[in-house]
PDB file of all heavy atoms in Angstrom:
ATOM      1  N   ASN A1256      14.805 -16.738 -13.973  1.00 98.00           N
ATOM      2  CA  ASN A1256      13.609 -17.578 -14.105  1.00 98.00           C
ATOM      3  C   ASN A1256      12.661 -17.461 -12.919  1.00 98.00           C
ATOM      4  O   ASN A1256      12.013 -18.435 -12.517  1.00 98.00           O
ATOM      5  CB  ASN A1256      14.005 -19.043 -14.317  1.00 98.00           C
ATOM      6  CG  ASN A1256      14.839 -19.240 -15.573  1.00 98.00           C
ATOM      7  OD1 ASN A1256      14.459 -18.769 -16.648  1.00 98.00           O
ATOM      8  ND2 ASN A1256      15.968 -19.906 -15.446  1.00 98.00           N
ATOM      9  N   ALA A1257      12.566 -16.263 -12.361  1.00 98.00           N
ATOM     10  CA  ALA A1257      11.667 -16.001 -11.238  1.00 98.00           C
ATOM     11  C   ALA A1257      10.664 -14.930 -11.641  1.00 98.00           C
ATOM     12  O   ALA A1257      10.965 -14.050 -12.459  1.00 98.00           O
ATOM     13  CB  ALA A1257      12.459 -15.550 -10.014  1.00 98.00           C
ATOM     14  N   SER A1258       9.470 -15.004 -11.061  1.00 97.00           N
ATOM     15  CA  SER A1258       8.437 -14.019 -11.387  1.00 97.00           C
ATOM     16  C   SER A1258       7.590 -13.705 -10.170  1.00 97.00           C
ATOM     17  O   SER A1258       7.513 -14.494  -9.223  1.00 97.00           O
ATOM     18  CB  SER A1258       7.538 -14.534 -12.523  1.00 97.00           C
ATOM     19  OG  SER A1258       6.800 -15.668 -12.093  1.00 97.00           O
ATOM     20  N   LEU A1259       6.953 -12.539 -10.230  1.00 98.00           N
ATOM     21  CA  LEU A1259       6.019 -12.102  -9.195  1.00 98.00           C
ATOM     22  C   LEU A1259       4.624 -12.062  -9.798  1.00 98.00           C
ATOM     23  O   LEU A1259       4.451 -11.731 -10.973  1.00 98.00           O
ATOM     24  CB  LEU A1259       6.399 -10.717  -8.682  1.00 98.00           C
ATOM     25  CG  LEU A1259       7.798 -10.558  -8.107  1.00 98.00           C
ATOM     26  CD1 LEU A1259       8.085  -9.077  -7.830  1.00 98.00           C
ATOM     27  CD2 LEU A1259       7.965 -11.374  -6.830  1.00 98.00           C
ATOM     28  N   GLN A1260       3.627 -12.391  -8.987  1.00 97.00           N
ATOM     29  CA  GLN A1260       2.255 -12.315  -9.469  1.00 97.00           C
ATOM     30  C   GLN A1260       1.648 -10.930  -9.272  1.00 97.00           C
ATOM     31  O   GLN A1260       0.583 -10.634  -9.804  1.00 97.00           O
ATOM     32  CB  GLN A1260       1.394 -13.389  -8.785  1.00 97.00           C
ATOM     33  CG  GLN A1260       1.498 -14.760  -9.442  1.00 97.00           C
ATOM     34  CD  GLN A1260       2.918 -15.256  -9.568  1.00 97.00           C
ATOM     35  OE1 GLN A1260       3.564 -15.577  -8.581  1.00 97.00           O
ATOM     36  NE2 GLN A1260       3.429 -15.303 -10.799  1.00 97.00           N
ATOM     37  N   GLY A1261       2.331 -10.081  -8.544  1.00 97.00           N
ATOM     38  CA  GLY A1261       1.855  -8.722  -8.375  1.00 97.00           C
ATOM     39  C   GLY A1261       2.699  -7.969  -7.366  1.00 97.00           C
ATOM     40  O   GLY A1261       3.354  -8.569  -6.515  1.00 97.00           O
ATOM     41  N   ILE A1262       2.699  -6.655  -7.490  1.00 98.00           N
ATOM     42  CA  ILE A1262       3.381  -5.770  -6.537  1.00 98.00           C
ATOM     43  C   ILE A1262       2.355  -4.759  -6.045  1.00 98.00           C
ATOM     44  O   ILE A1262       1.833  -3.943  -6.823  1.00 98.00           O
ATOM     45  CB  ILE A1262       4.561  -5.029  -7.181  1.00 98.00           C
ATOM     46  CG1 ILE A1262       5.591  -6.026  -7.743  1.00 98.00           C
ATOM     47  CG2 ILE A1262       5.214  -4.081  -6.162  1.00 98.00           C
ATOM     48  CD1 ILE A1262       6.687  -5.365  -8.560  1.00 98.00           C
ATOM     49  N   TYR A1263       2.031  -4.821  -4.775  1.00 98.00           N
ATOM     50  CA  TYR A1263       1.129  -3.865  -4.132  1.00 98.00           C
ATOM     51  C   TYR A1263       1.983  -2.912  -3.304  1.00 98.00           C
ATOM     52  O   TYR A1263       2.891  -3.346  -2.595  1.00 98.00           O
ATOM     53  CB  TYR A1263       0.124  -4.601  -3.244  1.00 98.00           C
ATOM     54  CG  TYR A1263      -0.870  -5.438  -4.019  1.00 98.00           C
ATOM     55  CD1 TYR A1263      -0.493  -6.644  -4.594  1.00 98.00           C
ATOM     56  CD2 TYR A1263      -2.191  -5.022  -4.173  1.00 98.00           C
ATOM     57  CE1 TYR A1263      -1.394  -7.412  -5.324  1.00 98.00           C
ATOM     58  CE2 TYR A1263      -3.109  -5.786  -4.896  1.00 98.00           C
ATOM     59  CZ  TYR A1263      -2.694  -6.979  -5.470  1.00 98.00           C
ATOM     60  OH  TYR A1263      -3.586  -7.738  -6.182  1.00 98.00           O
ATOM     61  N   TYR A1264       1.695  -1.623  -3.414  1.00 98.00           N
ATOM     62  CA  TYR A1264       2.528  -0.659  -2.704  1.00 98.00           C
ATOM     63  C   TYR A1264       1.672   0.446  -2.103  1.00 98.00           C
ATOM     64  O   TYR A1264       0.580   0.763  -2.583  1.00 98.00           O
ATOM     65  CB  TYR A1264       3.593  -0.065  -3.630  1.00 98.00           C
ATOM     66  CG  TYR A1264       3.053   0.848  -4.723  1.00 98.00           C
ATOM     67  CD1 TYR A1264       3.012   2.232  -4.554  1.00 98.00           C
ATOM     68  CD2 TYR A1264       2.590   0.322  -5.924  1.00 98.00           C
ATOM     69  CE1 TYR A1264       2.526   3.067  -5.546  1.00 98.00           C
ATOM     70  CE2 TYR A1264       2.098   1.141  -6.924  1.00 98.00           C
ATOM     71  CZ  TYR A1264       2.074   2.515  -6.736  1.00 98.00           C
ATOM     72  OH  TYR A1264       1.582   3.342  -7.726  1.00 98.00           O
ATOM     73  N   CYS A1265       2.184   1.035  -1.032  1.00 98.00           N
ATOM     74  CA  CYS A1265       1.509   2.159  -0.383  1.00 98.00           C
ATOM     75  C   CYS A1265       2.440   3.362  -0.389  1.00 98.00           C
ATOM     76  O   CYS A1265       3.472   3.339   0.295  1.00 98.00           O
ATOM     77  CB  CYS A1265       1.104   1.808   1.046  1.00 98.00           C
ATOM     78  SG  CYS A1265       0.260   3.191   1.866  1.00 98.00           S
ATOM     79  N   PRO A1266       2.119   4.413  -1.143  1.00 98.00           N
ATOM     80  CA  PRO A1266       2.990   5.590  -1.226  1.00 98.00           C
ATOM     81  C   PRO A1266       2.675   6.672  -0.199  1.00 98.00           C
ATOM     82  O   PRO A1266       3.314   7.727  -0.205  1.00 98.00           O
ATOM     83  CB  PRO A1266       2.699   6.104  -2.633  1.00 98.00           C
ATOM     84  CG  PRO A1266       1.233   5.824  -2.810  1.00 98.00           C
ATOM     85  CD  PRO A1266       0.981   4.519  -2.075  1.00 98.00           C
ATOM     86  N   PHE A1267       1.714   6.412   0.679  1.00 97.00           N
ATOM     87  CA  PHE A1267       1.230   7.446   1.591  1.00 97.00           C
ATOM     88  C   PHE A1267       1.948   7.409   2.937  1.00 97.00           C
ATOM     89  O   PHE A1267       2.437   6.373   3.378  1.00 97.00           O
ATOM     90  CB  PHE A1267      -0.276   7.288   1.813  1.00 97.00           C
ATOM     91  CG  PHE A1267      -1.061   7.298   0.539  1.00 97.00           C
ATOM     92  CD1 PHE A1267      -1.598   6.123   0.020  1.00 97.00           C
ATOM     93  CD2 PHE A1267      -1.258   8.479  -0.161  1.00 97.00           C
ATOM     94  CE1 PHE A1267      -2.320   6.121  -1.160  1.00 97.00           C
ATOM     95  CE2 PHE A1267      -1.978   8.493  -1.354  1.00 97.00           C
ATOM     96  CZ  PHE A1267      -2.501   7.311  -1.858  1.00 97.00           C
ATOM     97  N   HIS A1268       1.973   8.560   3.597  1.00 97.00           N
ATOM     98  CA  HIS A1268       2.528   8.654   4.956  1.00 97.00           C
ATOM     99  C   HIS A1268       1.939   9.884   5.622  1.00 97.00           C
ATOM    100  O   HIS A1268       1.758  10.928   4.978  1.00 97.00           O
ATOM    101  CB  HIS A1268       4.056   8.748   4.929  1.00 97.00           C
ATOM    102  CG  HIS A1268       4.677   8.525   6.272  1.00 97.00           C
ATOM    103  ND1 HIS A1268       4.785   9.526   7.206  1.00 97.00           N
ATOM    104  CD2 HIS A1268       5.218   7.416   6.835  1.00 97.00           C
ATOM    105  CE1 HIS A1268       5.373   9.045   8.299  1.00 97.00           C
ATOM    106  NE2 HIS A1268       5.643   7.761   8.089  1.00 97.00           N
ATOM    107  N   LYS A1269       1.665   9.773   6.892  1.00 95.00           N
ATOM    108  CA  LYS A1269       1.032  10.888   7.615  1.00 95.00           C
ATOM    109  C   LYS A1269       1.910  12.125   7.667  1.00 95.00           C
ATOM    110  O   LYS A1269       1.411  13.243   7.855  1.00 95.00           O
ATOM    111  CB  LYS A1269       0.661  10.460   9.026  1.00 95.00           C
ATOM    112  CG  LYS A1269       1.810  10.059   9.910  1.00 95.00           C
ATOM    113  CD  LYS A1269       1.332   9.601  11.283  1.00 95.00           C
ATOM    114  CE  LYS A1269       2.468   9.161  12.172  1.00 95.00           C
ATOM    115  NZ  LYS A1269       3.421  10.244  12.464  1.00 95.00           N
ATOM    116  N   ASP A1270       3.222  11.970   7.475  1.00 94.00           N
ATOM    117  CA  ASP A1270       4.131  13.113   7.465  1.00 94.00           C
ATOM    118  C   ASP A1270       4.636  13.425   6.064  1.00 94.00           C
ATOM    119  O   ASP A1270       5.668  14.079   5.891  1.00 94.00           O
ATOM    120  CB  ASP A1270       5.329  12.839   8.388  1.00 94.00           C
ATOM    121  CG  ASP A1270       4.908  12.672   9.837  1.00 94.00           C
ATOM    122  OD1 ASP A1270       3.976  13.382  10.263  1.00 94.00           O
ATOM    123  OD2 ASP A1270       5.495  11.821  10.531  1.00 94.00           O
ATOM    124  N   GLY A1271       3.918  12.956   5.047  1.00 95.00           N
ATOM    125  CA  GLY A1271       4.343  13.151   3.667  1.00 95.00           C
ATOM    126  C   GLY A1271       3.993  14.528   3.131  1.00 95.00           C
ATOM    127  O   GLY A1271       3.549  15.419   3.859  1.00 95.00           O
ATOM    128  N   ASP A1272       4.181  14.669   1.814  1.00 95.00           N
ATOM    129  CA  ASP A1272       3.947  15.947   1.142  1.00 95.00           C
ATOM    130  C   ASP A1272       2.694  15.878   0.273  1.00 95.00           C
ATOM    131  O   ASP A1272       2.385  14.841  -0.313  1.00 95.00           O
ATOM    132  CB  ASP A1272       5.140  16.298   0.234  1.00 95.00           C
ATOM    133  CG  ASP A1272       6.437  16.440   1.001  1.00 95.00           C
ATOM    134  OD1 ASP A1272       6.396  16.873   2.161  1.00 95.00           O
ATOM    135  OD2 ASP A1272       7.502  16.107   0.430  1.00 95.00           O
ATOM    136  N   GLY A1273       1.977  16.988   0.206  1.00 96.00           N
ATOM    137  CA  GLY A1273       0.865  17.132  -0.727  1.00 96.00           C
ATOM    138  C   GLY A1273      -0.188  16.056  -0.602  1.00 96.00           C
ATOM    139  O   GLY A1273      -0.625  15.700   0.495  1.00 96.00           O
ATOM    140  N   GLU A1274      -0.597  15.515  -1.751  1.00 95.00           N
ATOM    141  CA  GLU A1274      -1.678  14.525  -1.785  1.00 95.00           C
ATOM    142  C   GLU A1274      -1.320  13.223  -1.087  1.00 95.00           C
ATOM    143  O   GLU A1274      -2.188  12.419  -0.760  1.00 95.00           O
ATOM    144  CB  GLU A1274      -2.067  14.224  -3.237  1.00 95.00           C
ATOM    145  CG  GLU A1274      -0.954  13.579  -4.044  1.00 95.00           C
ATOM    146  CD  GLU A1274      -1.340  13.311  -5.476  1.00 95.00           C
ATOM    147  OE1 GLU A1274      -2.324  12.571  -5.692  1.00 95.00           O
ATOM    148  OE2 GLU A1274      -0.674  13.853  -6.380  1.00 95.00           O
ATOM    149  N   TYR A1275      -0.035  13.009  -0.851  1.00 96.00           N
ATOM    150  CA  TYR A1275       0.401  11.764  -0.212  1.00 96.00           C
ATOM    151  C   TYR A1275       0.470  11.873   1.312  1.00 96.00           C
ATOM    152  O   TYR A1275       0.791  10.904   1.981  1.00 96.00           O
ATOM    153  CB  TYR A1275       1.780  11.366  -0.751  1.00 96.00           C
ATOM    154  CG  TYR A1275       1.762  11.049  -2.227  1.00 96.00           C
ATOM    155  CD1 TYR A1275       2.270  11.955  -3.155  1.00 96.00           C
ATOM    156  CD2 TYR A1275       1.241   9.848  -2.695  1.00 96.00           C
ATOM    157  CE1 TYR A1275       2.260  11.667  -4.514  1.00 96.00           C
ATOM    158  CE2 TYR A1275       1.223   9.549  -4.051  1.00 96.00           C
ATOM    159  CZ  TYR A1275       1.735  10.468  -4.952  1.00 96.00           C
ATOM    160  OH  TYR A1275       1.712  10.178  -6.295  1.00 96.00           O
ATOM    161  N   ARG A1276       0.148  13.026   1.837  1.00 97.00           N
ATOM    162  CA  ARG A1276       0.221  13.248   3.284  1.00 97.00           C
ATOM    163  C   ARG A1276      -1.090  12.796   3.939  1.00 97.00           C
ATOM    164  O   ARG A1276      -2.031  13.570   4.100  1.00 97.00           O
ATOM    165  CB  ARG A1276       0.480  14.727   3.585  1.00 97.00           C
ATOM    166  CG  ARG A1276       0.657  15.057   5.073  1.00 97.00           C
ATOM    167  CD  ARG A1276       0.763  16.567   5.296  1.00 97.00           C
ATOM    168  NE  ARG A1276       0.879  16.914   6.682  1.00 97.00           N
ATOM    169  CZ  ARG A1276       2.037  17.084   7.328  1.00 97.00           C
ATOM    170  NH1 ARG A1276       3.177  16.931   6.670  1.00 97.00           N
ATOM    171  NH2 ARG A1276       2.056  17.398   8.597  1.00 97.00           N
ATOM    172  N   ARG A1277      -1.152  11.536   4.277  1.00 96.00           N
ATOM    173  CA  ARG A1277      -2.350  11.021   4.947  1.00 96.00           C
ATOM    174  C   ARG A1277      -2.118   9.599   5.433  1.00 96.00           C
ATOM    175  O   ARG A1277      -1.192   8.922   5.008  1.00 96.00           O
ATOM    176  CB  ARG A1277      -3.554  11.055   4.021  1.00 96.00           C
ATOM    177  CG  ARG A1277      -3.492  10.144   2.807  1.00 96.00           C
ATOM    178  CD  ARG A1277      -4.792  10.280   2.046  1.00 96.00           C
ATOM    179  NE  ARG A1277      -4.874   9.493   0.843  1.00 96.00           N
ATOM    180  CZ  ARG A1277      -5.240   8.213   0.783  1.00 96.00           C
ATOM    181  NH1 ARG A1277      -5.518   7.548   1.905  1.00 96.00           N
ATOM    182  NH2 ARG A1277      -5.312   7.572  -0.371  1.00 96.00           N
ATOM    183  N   GLU A1278      -2.978   9.203   6.336  1.00 96.00           N
ATOM    184  CA  GLU A1278      -2.999   7.811   6.764  1.00 96.00           C
ATOM    185  C   GLU A1278      -3.592   6.967   5.635  1.00 96.00           C
ATOM    186  O   GLU A1278      -4.333   7.470   4.790  1.00 96.00           O
ATOM    187  CB  GLU A1278      -3.851   7.657   8.024  1.00 96.00           C
ATOM    188  CG  GLU A1278      -3.354   8.455   9.227  1.00 96.00           C
ATOM    189  CD  GLU A1278      -2.246   7.736   9.969  1.00 96.00           C
ATOM    190  OE1 GLU A1278      -1.830   6.646   9.517  1.00 96.00           O
ATOM    191  OE2 GLU A1278      -1.789   8.266  10.996  1.00 96.00           O
ATOM    192  N   SER A1279      -3.258   5.698   5.623  1.00 97.00           N
ATOM    193  CA  SER A1279      -3.805   4.812   4.599  1.00 97.00           C
ATOM    194  C   SER A1279      -4.061   3.431   5.186  1.00 97.00           C
ATOM    195  O   SER A1279      -3.238   2.918   5.951  1.00 97.00           O
ATOM    196  CB  SER A1279      -2.837   4.683   3.418  1.00 97.00           C
ATOM    197  OG  SER A1279      -3.258   3.660   2.526  1.00 97.00           O
ATOM    198  N   PRO A1280      -5.190   2.814   4.821  1.00 97.00           N
ATOM    199  CA  PRO A1280      -5.455   1.455   5.294  1.00 97.00           C
ATOM    200  C   PRO A1280      -4.531   0.427   4.656  1.00 97.00           C
ATOM    201  O   PRO A1280      -4.533  -0.740   5.044  1.00 97.00           O
ATOM    202  CB  PRO A1280      -6.904   1.217   4.874  1.00 97.00           C
ATOM    203  CG  PRO A1280      -7.106   2.107   3.693  1.00 97.00           C
ATOM    204  CD  PRO A1280      -6.280   3.330   3.970  1.00 97.00           C
ATOM    205  N   TYR A1281      -3.730   0.865   3.665  1.00 98.00           N
ATOM    206  CA  TYR A1281      -2.825  -0.053   2.986  1.00 98.00           C
ATOM    207  C   TYR A1281      -1.400  -0.003   3.534  1.00 98.00           C
ATOM    208  O   TYR A1281      -0.582  -0.848   3.184  1.00 98.00           O
ATOM    209  CB  TYR A1281      -2.798   0.259   1.486  1.00 98.00           C
ATOM    210  CG  TYR A1281      -4.130   0.011   0.825  1.00 98.00           C
ATOM    211  CD1 TYR A1281      -4.892   1.068   0.336  1.00 98.00           C
ATOM    212  CD2 TYR A1281      -4.645  -1.270   0.715  1.00 98.00           C
ATOM    213  CE1 TYR A1281      -6.128   0.836  -0.255  1.00 98.00           C
ATOM    214  CE2 TYR A1281      -5.883  -1.510   0.134  1.00 98.00           C
ATOM    215  CZ  TYR A1281      -6.604  -0.448  -0.353  1.00 98.00           C
ATOM    216  OH  TYR A1281      -7.828  -0.675  -0.934  1.00 98.00           O
ATOM    217  N   ARG A1282      -1.122   0.962   4.383  1.00 98.00           N
ATOM    218  CA  ARG A1282       0.238   1.045   4.911  1.00 98.00           C
ATOM    219  C   ARG A1282       0.421   0.038   6.042  1.00 98.00           C
ATOM    220  O   ARG A1282      -0.330   0.053   7.027  1.00 98.00           O
ATOM    221  CB  ARG A1282       0.540   2.467   5.401  1.00 98.00           C
ATOM    222  CG  ARG A1282       1.965   2.605   5.954  1.00 98.00           C
ATOM    223  CD  ARG A1282       2.335   4.053   6.231  1.00 98.00           C
ATOM    224  NE  ARG A1282       3.620   4.103   6.919  1.00 98.00           N
ATOM    225  CZ  ARG A1282       4.800   3.992   6.321  1.00 98.00           C
ATOM    226  NH1 ARG A1282       4.842   3.840   5.012  1.00 98.00           N
ATOM    227  NH2 ARG A1282       5.922   4.024   7.008  1.00 98.00           N
ATOM    228  N   LYS A1283       1.400  -0.853   5.892  1.00 98.00           N
ATOM    229  CA  LYS A1283       1.701  -1.776   6.990  1.00 98.00           C
ATOM    230  C   LYS A1283       2.129  -0.980   8.223  1.00 98.00           C
ATOM    231  O   LYS A1283       2.799   0.033   8.076  1.00 98.00           O
ATOM    232  CB  LYS A1283       2.825  -2.726   6.562  1.00 98.00           C
ATOM    233  CG  LYS A1283       2.448  -3.678   5.419  1.00 98.00           C
ATOM    234  CD  LYS A1283       3.619  -4.556   4.991  1.00 98.00           C
ATOM    235  CE  LYS A1283       4.694  -3.757   4.299  1.00 98.00           C
ATOM    236  NZ  LYS A1283       5.817  -4.571   3.794  1.00 98.00           N
ATOM    237  N   PRO A1284       1.694  -1.362   9.418  1.00 98.00           N
ATOM    238  CA  PRO A1284       1.242  -2.692   9.834  1.00 98.00           C
ATOM    239  C   PRO A1284      -0.229  -3.014   9.564  1.00 98.00           C
ATOM    240  O   PRO A1284      -0.683  -4.082   9.963  1.00 98.00           O
ATOM    241  CB  PRO A1284       1.509  -2.679  11.330  1.00 98.00           C
ATOM    242  CG  PRO A1284       1.291  -1.257  11.734  1.00 98.00           C
ATOM    243  CD  PRO A1284       1.857  -0.454  10.580  1.00 98.00           C
ATOM    244  N   LYS A1285      -0.971  -2.109   8.937  1.00 98.00           N
ATOM    245  CA  LYS A1285      -2.346  -2.449   8.578  1.00 98.00           C
ATOM    246  C   LYS A1285      -2.313  -3.513   7.468  1.00 98.00           C
ATOM    247  O   LYS A1285      -1.382  -3.552   6.666  1.00 98.00           O
ATOM    248  CB  LYS A1285      -3.107  -1.202   8.137  1.00 98.00           C
ATOM    249  CG  LYS A1285      -3.271  -0.184   9.268  1.00 98.00           C
ATOM    250  CD  LYS A1285      -3.972   1.071   8.793  1.00 98.00           C
ATOM    251  CE  LYS A1285      -4.105   2.089   9.926  1.00 98.00           C
ATOM    252  NZ  LYS A1285      -4.730   3.359   9.471  1.00 98.00           N
ATOM    253  N   PRO A1286      -3.332  -4.346   7.399  1.00 98.00           N
ATOM    254  CA  PRO A1286      -3.295  -5.482   6.476  1.00 98.00           C
ATOM    255  C   PRO A1286      -3.888  -5.210   5.096  1.00 98.00           C
ATOM    256  O   PRO A1286      -4.065  -6.134   4.305  1.00 98.00           O
ATOM    257  CB  PRO A1286      -4.138  -6.529   7.211  1.00 98.00           C
ATOM    258  CG  PRO A1286      -5.193  -5.705   7.896  1.00 98.00           C
ATOM    259  CD  PRO A1286      -4.480  -4.434   8.332  1.00 98.00           C
ATOM    260  N   GLY A1287      -4.178  -3.944   4.780  1.00 97.00           N
ATOM    261  CA  GLY A1287      -4.937  -3.634   3.575  1.00 97.00           C
ATOM    262  C   GLY A1287      -4.385  -4.212   2.288  1.00 97.00           C
ATOM    263  O   GLY A1287      -5.138  -4.699   1.436  1.00 97.00           O
ATOM    264  N   MET A1288      -3.061  -4.166   2.090  1.00 98.00           N
ATOM    265  CA  MET A1288      -2.503  -4.677   0.840  1.00 98.00           C
ATOM    266  C   MET A1288      -2.700  -6.180   0.725  1.00 98.00           C
ATOM    267  O   MET A1288      -2.999  -6.705  -0.363  1.00 98.00           O
ATOM    268  CB  MET A1288      -1.017  -4.314   0.726  1.00 98.00           C
ATOM    269  CG  MET A1288      -0.765  -2.847   0.431  1.00 98.00           C
ATOM    270  SD  MET A1288       0.970  -2.458   0.070  1.00 98.00           S
ATOM    271  CE  MET A1288       1.711  -2.547   1.711  1.00 98.00           C
ATOM    272  N   LEU A1289      -2.545  -6.909   1.824  1.00 98.00           N
ATOM    273  CA  LEU A1289      -2.740  -8.352   1.791  1.00 98.00           C
ATOM    274  C   LEU A1289      -4.204  -8.689   1.531  1.00 98.00           C
ATOM    275  O   LEU A1289      -4.518  -9.597   0.758  1.00 98.00           O
ATOM    276  CB  LEU A1289      -2.278  -8.994   3.103  1.00 98.00           C
ATOM    277  CG  LEU A1289      -0.766  -9.056   3.341  1.00 98.00           C
ATOM    278  CD1 LEU A1289      -0.225  -7.738   3.865  1.00 98.00           C
ATOM    279  CD2 LEU A1289      -0.422 -10.179   4.307  1.00 98.00           C
ATOM    280  N   LEU A1290      -5.101  -7.945   2.158  1.00 97.00           N
ATOM    281  CA  LEU A1290      -6.530  -8.187   1.958  1.00 97.00           C
ATOM    282  C   LEU A1290      -6.940  -7.885   0.518  1.00 97.00           C
ATOM    283  O   LEU A1290      -7.732  -8.614  -0.079  1.00 97.00           O
ATOM    284  CB  LEU A1290      -7.348  -7.334   2.924  1.00 97.00           C
ATOM    285  CG  LEU A1290      -7.116  -7.583   4.423  1.00 97.00           C
ATOM    286  CD1 LEU A1290      -7.987  -6.634   5.238  1.00 97.00           C
ATOM    287  CD2 LEU A1290      -7.380  -9.022   4.794  1.00 97.00           C
ATOM    288  N   ALA A1291      -6.376  -6.827  -0.047  1.00 96.00           N
ATOM    289  CA  ALA A1291      -6.693  -6.476  -1.429  1.00 96.00           C
ATOM    290  C   ALA A1291      -6.203  -7.554  -2.388  1.00 96.00           C
ATOM    291  O   ALA A1291      -6.897  -7.914  -3.348  1.00 96.00           O
ATOM    292  CB  ALA A1291      -6.079  -5.127  -1.782  1.00 96.00           C
ATOM    293  N   ALA A1292      -5.015  -8.061  -2.139  1.00 96.00           N
ATOM    294  CA  ALA A1292      -4.472  -9.120  -2.994  1.00 96.00           C
ATOM    295  C   ALA A1292      -5.318 -10.386  -2.887  1.00 96.00           C
ATOM    296  O   ALA A1292      -5.604 -11.047  -3.891  1.00 96.00           O
ATOM    297  CB  ALA A1292      -3.029  -9.409  -2.616  1.00 96.00           C
ATOM    298  N   ALA A1293      -5.729 -10.715  -1.668  1.00 96.00           N
ATOM    299  CA  ALA A1293      -6.555 -11.912  -1.475  1.00 96.00           C
ATOM    300  C   ALA A1293      -7.894 -11.775  -2.175  1.00 96.00           C
ATOM    301  O   ALA A1293      -8.456 -12.762  -2.664  1.00 96.00           O
ATOM    302  CB  ALA A1293      -6.760 -12.168   0.011  1.00 96.00           C
ATOM    303  N   ALA A1294      -8.413 -10.551  -2.258  1.00 92.00           N
ATOM    304  CA  ALA A1294      -9.674 -10.318  -2.947  1.00 92.00           C
ATOM    305  C   ALA A1294      -9.512 -10.400  -4.460  1.00 92.00           C
ATOM    306  O   ALA A1294     -10.422 -10.830  -5.170  1.00 92.00           O
ATOM    307  CB  ALA A1294     -10.240  -8.953  -2.555  1.00 92.00           C
ATOM    308  N   GLU A1295      -8.345  -9.991  -4.949  1.00 94.00           N
ATOM    309  CA  GLU A1295      -8.108  -9.989  -6.400  1.00 94.00           C
ATOM    310  C   GLU A1295      -7.720 -11.368  -6.913  1.00 94.00           C
ATOM    311  O   GLU A1295      -8.103 -11.760  -8.012  1.00 94.00           O
ATOM    312  CB  GLU A1295      -7.012  -8.978  -6.741  1.00 94.00           C
ATOM    313  CG  GLU A1295      -6.761  -8.839  -8.226  1.00 94.00           C
ATOM    314  CD  GLU A1295      -6.017  -7.567  -8.587  1.00 94.00           C
ATOM    315  OE1 GLU A1295      -5.553  -6.861  -7.668  1.00 94.00           O
ATOM    316  OE2 GLU A1295      -5.902  -7.272  -9.790  1.00 94.00           O
ATOM    317  N   PHE A1296      -6.946 -12.081  -6.124  1.00 95.00           N
ATOM    318  CA  PHE A1296      -6.553 -13.439  -6.467  1.00 95.00           C
ATOM    319  C   PHE A1296      -7.385 -14.418  -5.629  1.00 95.00           C
ATOM    320  O   PHE A1296      -8.103 -14.026  -4.727  1.00 95.00           O
ATOM    321  CB  PHE A1296      -5.065 -13.657  -6.182  1.00 95.00           C
ATOM    322  CG  PHE A1296      -4.150 -12.855  -7.067  1.00 95.00           C
ATOM    323  CD1 PHE A1296      -3.739 -11.587  -6.690  1.00 95.00           C
ATOM    324  CD2 PHE A1296      -3.695 -13.378  -8.264  1.00 95.00           C
ATOM    325  CE1 PHE A1296      -2.897 -10.838  -7.499  1.00 95.00           C
ATOM    326  CE2 PHE A1296      -2.852 -12.648  -9.084  1.00 95.00           C
ATOM    327  CZ  PHE A1296      -2.444 -11.373  -8.706  1.00 95.00           C
TER     328      PHE A1296
END
């Protein structure tokens, strides 16, 4: 009887492979995912 209102995720990493190999404003410790959620909700 538990639910989530959303799951925000960051699949990127500076040492990753292919298209995922990059910095991201959504990767913690940056606050991007929290800011995006606050904007959506």
